Amino acid sequence: MSPLEVLRFALRGLTANKLRSGLTTLGILIGVAAVILLIAYGNGSSEAIKKSIQRLGADSLTVSTSTTSSSGGARTQARDLTVKDAEALAKSPSIKSASPVVSGQSSTATYAGTSSTIDRFVGSTPDYFAAASKTIAAGSAFAETDGNVVVIGSTVASDLFAGTDPLGKKINVGGINFTVVGVLKASGSTSGGFNDPDSVAVAPLTAVQASVTGYGALDQIVIQAKSSEQVDAAQAEAESILQQRHGTTDFTVASQASAQSAVADSNKTFTVLLGAVAAISLVVGGIGITNIMLVTVTERTREIGIRKAIGAPRGAILGQFVAEATILSLIGGLLGVAVGVAGSLFTIAGVKPVLVPSSIALSLGVSVVIGLFFGGYPANRAARLRPIEALRHE
Amino acid sequence: MIDVPVLDVRGATKVYGSGETEVHALRGVSLTVERGDYVAIMGASGSGKSTLMNIIGCLDVPSGGTYLLDGVHVGDLDERRLAILRNRRIGFVFQSFNLIPRMSARANVELPLAYGGVKGGERKRRALAALREVGLADRGGHEPNELSGGQQQRVAIARALVTSPTLLLADEPTGALDSKSTADVLGIFDRLARQGRTIVVITHEDEVAAHAKRVVRLVDGRIVEDRRQAPVGVA
């Protein structure tokens, strides 16, 4: 009894009841496709977040004050970040620019009777645009020496100017008129939390201090490294310069990389969860195989009896039914891979799925193992049937 | 080899159940069948003839006594060897044909050869030869449900013969057939007997028994009559 022969018997058994075989296959198909798709979507959304973080600036660092020392010691009174700090940082070898930043939350801007709440009104230097990866869609950035000019985000532009060209118009924020010189490109990112990243306006530092924030401390210093490879060096330099100037570590220098890894971690958990849910449906498909194979064995008891009477060894019967179950799950698995790969071509809810090759191999492998495992019990039951009883079965 | 009987059943008993529900299906049956004999085992239902047939066919083991098939002690064999024994030494013909549905007649006939490990080409040749012997060479491609009862039974006989077994064992082979098909099947048996095949037929029909060379009658698990109608040996 060659394995090929056993396989042929199994195929004949399966084709004898095509609808049933098809439906059982469907169970595994859905399971495998779900595993591949959900993992691809999880992976895709984490890639998307990574990309949007990179878009924020892979080469940028943010310095902000912190009231606790980074060594975990006692609370210290933080010294303010100053424009002088920023000027000192800008001279460091790995640092391309250091822009002092003040920002006002929820400032109201008005233009010709319409008003809009700007989530973040930023005062900084022209270098800020490059450091914070803000691209200008229309108009231009302001120069260091400009007075009351502003570059507005796309949300602000559409709120205040709905359709008309905002360039050259004057908007009023905090009692001061700002001339719009540029409009930022929409960031297109929705993953920035509940804040709209496009509800923003950028104006020269002194103008914002005069109108919105007052002449207090800086909120941040945004540093741009000379290249993304030099981010680590820039971070080290920034830390030592500020340490020297402040005499204590009352600040934090955060790179986008650290934010990136935090997001990547939470995304991994998310992907694993999605995969686990999909794996459950794969197991349910496996139970479907057991169920249908048990029915098949009962239905074909007489046939098994005949086969045994004419000398089929136990192994041949066992092999036939295990092969039937495995073929079912393998075909289901292969079709599931096809459906999963096809499904991952579609973008759903703004997420472009990214296939994980190992998830394909894994789910296909698991589906075969499921066939062997869940088909094993019914097959064993068939192989143990006693021929006289099986022959008597109606 | 010639003096080893094909069947040698000695004092076989079979008890089903235990205690109050104990049923004695066989109460000590001894039966020897020589090579080339054609034996009809007769009895009413409940006489134990089906039990005897299961034991002879190595589908069941006796509770007591011994059974030698072709000189081999069947009681000593494990399941795997019993399967091989059934495959090589016994050809079964059942009352309800027991062909496997949705498999062509030829595939059905090839089945015992497949389990016996015979290769494809050889298998096809032997299956066709067996079908020719029962006069169905042209029906090899038909599935059982496309054949009449008599044709199905002839396919079953071809399947029983294809391994050239020592013993052809038939259980009420004409029980489900009309008189024309019955005559066909009995004609095939007669011819096989003339060729020197050893045949054991379980039946309750006198018409079938009339064809046999020897008639054994069972009542209540015992042999009550053992009558020879024709000599053993090629006629």
Side-chain angles (χ1 to χ4, degrees):
Chain A
M1 197 68 195
S2 70
L4 202 72
E5 208 72 52
V6 173
L7 211 64
R8 255 188 33 205
F9 283 149
L11 278 173
R12 217 194 305 255
L14 290 177
T15 47
N17 207 328
K18 291 191 185 69
L19 178 66
R20 183 192 292 173
S21 303
L23 288 175
T24 315
T25 305
L26 195 62
I28 293 294
L29 186 159
I30 291 171
V32 168
V35 167
I36 291 173
L37 267 182
L38 290 185
I39 289 179
Y41 275 100
N43 189 37
S45 79
S46 99
E47 299 266 300
I49 290 172
K50 257 190 238 166
K51 231 175 250 160
S52 78
I53 288 173
Q54 259 158 20
R55 203 164 46 222
L56 290 178
D59 54 357
S60 72
L61 295 165
T62 308
V63 182
S64 48
T65 50
S66 85
T67 46
T68 47
S69 74
S70 62
S71 55
R75 268 169 171 271
T76 49
Q77 181 61 49
R79 285 182 56 177
D80 293 337
L81 290 169
T82 63
V83 177
K84 293 251 180 318
D85 286 334
E87 280 163 2
L89 287 170
K91 291 189 186 99
S92 187
S94 300
I95 294 173
K96 188 176 169 195
S97 71
S99 320
V101 172
V102 292
S103 59
Q105 309 292 326
S106 304
S107 323
T108 305
T110 55
Y111 169 73
T114 50
S115 69
S116 168
T117 303
I118 301 172
D119 284 350
R120 216 164 156 252
F121 197 81
V122 174
S124 191
T125 58
D127 288 333
Y128 174 79
F129 292 98
S133 301
K134 303 256 183 235
T135 319
I136 295 186
S140 62
F142 49 79
E144 195 98 43
T145 52
D146 280 352
N148 291 341
V149 294
V150 69
V151 174
I152 56 177
S154 58
T155 304
V156 181
S158 62
D159 280 358
L160 290 180
F161 300 100
T164 60
D165 184 9
L167 293 180
K169 307 272 166 40
K170 285 188 187 330
I171 62 170
N172 188 293
V173 182
I176 292 179
N177 283 329
F178 287 89
T179 308
V180 177
V181 295
V183 179
L184 292 174
K185 199 174 159 216
S187 68
S189 138
T190 51
S191 53
F194 27 83
N195 282 330
D196 178 359
D198 292 324
S199 178
V200 69
V202 186
L205 182 67
T206 47
V208 174
Q209 283 176 323
S211 63
V212 181
T213 62
Y215 296 89
L218 298 178
D219 292 300
Q220 289 177 331
I221 297 172
V222 173
I223 297 171
Q224 186 177 20
K226 289 235 165 85
S227 72
S228 48
E229 286 79 43
Q230 280 169 279
V231 170
D232 289 341
Q235 181 166 6
E237 286 166 18
E239 276 168 359
S240 78
I241 289 167
L242 289 173
Q243 174 79 33
Q244 221 166 32
R245 289 176 59 84
H246 290 199
T248 173
T249 312
D250 55 0
F251 55 87
T252 50
V253 181
S255 66
Q256 296 297 349
S258 57
Q260 220 172 52
S261 72
V263 172
D265 276 355
S266 72
N267 244 280
K268 209 171 277 168
T269 317
F270 179 62
T271 306
V272 166
L273 266 171
L274 281 180
V277 170
I280 290 170
S281 75
L282 196 52
V283 170
V284 171
I287 294 169
I289 285 191
T290 312
N291 199 5
I292 222 64
M293 289 309 293
L294 281 174
V295 172
T296 302
V297 167
T298 309
E299 238 179 33
R300 282 157 61 189
T301 299
R302 198 182 170 83
E303 180 192 321
I304 295 164
I306 299 166
R307 287 177 185 272
K308 289 199 133 183
I310 61 174
R314 181 184 277 209
I317 302 285
L318 187 75
Q320 177 179 344
F321 285 93
V322 167
E324 283 191 21
T326 310
I327 289 171
L328 280 182
S329 64
L330 184 65
I331 290 176
L334 287 171
L335 291 176
V337 168
V339 169
V341 170
S344 69
L345 297 175
F346 298 98
T347 302
I348 294 177
V351 178
K352 175 98 189 72
V354 177
L355 281 175
V356 183
S358 63
S359 79
I360 295 176
L362 186 77
S363 56
L364 200 58
V366 166
S367 75
V368 170
V369 170
I370 277 178
L372 290 172
F373 181 77
F374 286 96
Y377 169 68
N380 200 32
R381 205 152 110 165
R384 287 153 78 104
L385 281 172
R386 296 186 55 207
I388 28 171
E389 278 148 30
L391 277 173
R392 232 177 265 146
H393 186 92
E394 283 309 318
Chain B
M1 191 64 192
I2 196 77
D3 25 83
V4 178
V6 174
L7 280 185
D8 190 353
V9 182
R10 291 177 204 158
T13 60
K14 183 71 189 179
V15 184
Y16 293 110
S18 61
E20 300 232 333
T21 57
E22 208 169 72
V23 175
H24 291 264
L26 290 182
R27 299 165 187 268
V29 169
S30 295
L31 178 69
T32 311
V33 175
E34 299 298 330
R35 199 164 299 274
D37 208 348
Y38 181 5
V39 181
I41 296 175
M42 297 195 68
S45 73
S47 60
K49 61 182 194 305
S50 291
T51 306
L52 184 58
M53 132 107 192
N54 286 337
I55 290 172
I56 291 173
C58 301
L59 294 170
D60 205 353
V61 285
S63 310
T66 57
Y67 169 34
L68 283 79
L69 174 67
D70 234 4
V72 178
H73 258 285
V74 173
D76 298 343
L77 303 179
D78 59 16
E79 207 197 286
R80 193 176 58 83
R81 293 216 177 122
L82 276 178
I84 294 171
L85 199 67
R86 283 198 295 271
N87 186 255
R88 305 250 170 92
R89 304 281 171 93
I90 300 170
F92 283 99
V93 177
F94 301 94
Q95 176 175 5
S96 47
F97 325 135
N98 279 347
L99 297 178
I100 292 179
R102 289 183 292 265
M103 251 171 101
S104 71
R106 206 191 87 206
N108 262 289
V109 175
E110 282 185 17
L111 202 56
L113 296 176
Y115 287 127
V118 179
K119 291 274 176 295
E122 165 79 356
R123 203 155 74 195
K124 186 178 172 189
R125 197 182 56 71
R126 281 169 70 175
L128 286 174
L131 280 170
R132 208 175 303 124
E133 199 157 350
V134 297
L136 286 176
D138 54 336
R139 296 294 162 93
H142 290 60
E143 291 188 1
N145 59 6
E146 299 166 333
L147 298 171
S148 73
Q151 287 171 332
Q152 287 189 51
Q153 192 61 300
R154 277 147 68 194
V155 172
I157 293 170
R159 182 178 68 186
L161 289 174
V162 79
T163 52
S164 307
T166 328
L167 173 68
L168 186 66
L169 185 58
D171 181 17
E172 303 274 11
T174 60
L177 299 180
D178 58 32
S179 53
K180 162 82 172 59
S181 301
T182 299
D184 283 350
V185 167
L186 290 178
I188 291 170
F189 281 1
D190 286 346
R191 201 174 71 237
L192 292 172
R194 278 199 299 278
Q195 289 165 3
R197 291 255 181 216
T198 312
I199 304 173
V200 172
V201 179
I202 316 278
T203 186
H204 66 272
E205 290 173 65
D206 293 328
E207 187 201 347
V208 176
H211 286 256
K213 295 174 183 171
R214 178 183 170 196
V215 178
V216 173
R217 198 175 292 273
L218 273 178
V219 172
D220 290 339
R222 285 193 186 86
I223 294 177
V224 294
E225 191 192 349
D226 190 346
R227 178 165 48 89
R228 181 154 292 285
Q229 306 185 124
V232 187
V234 181

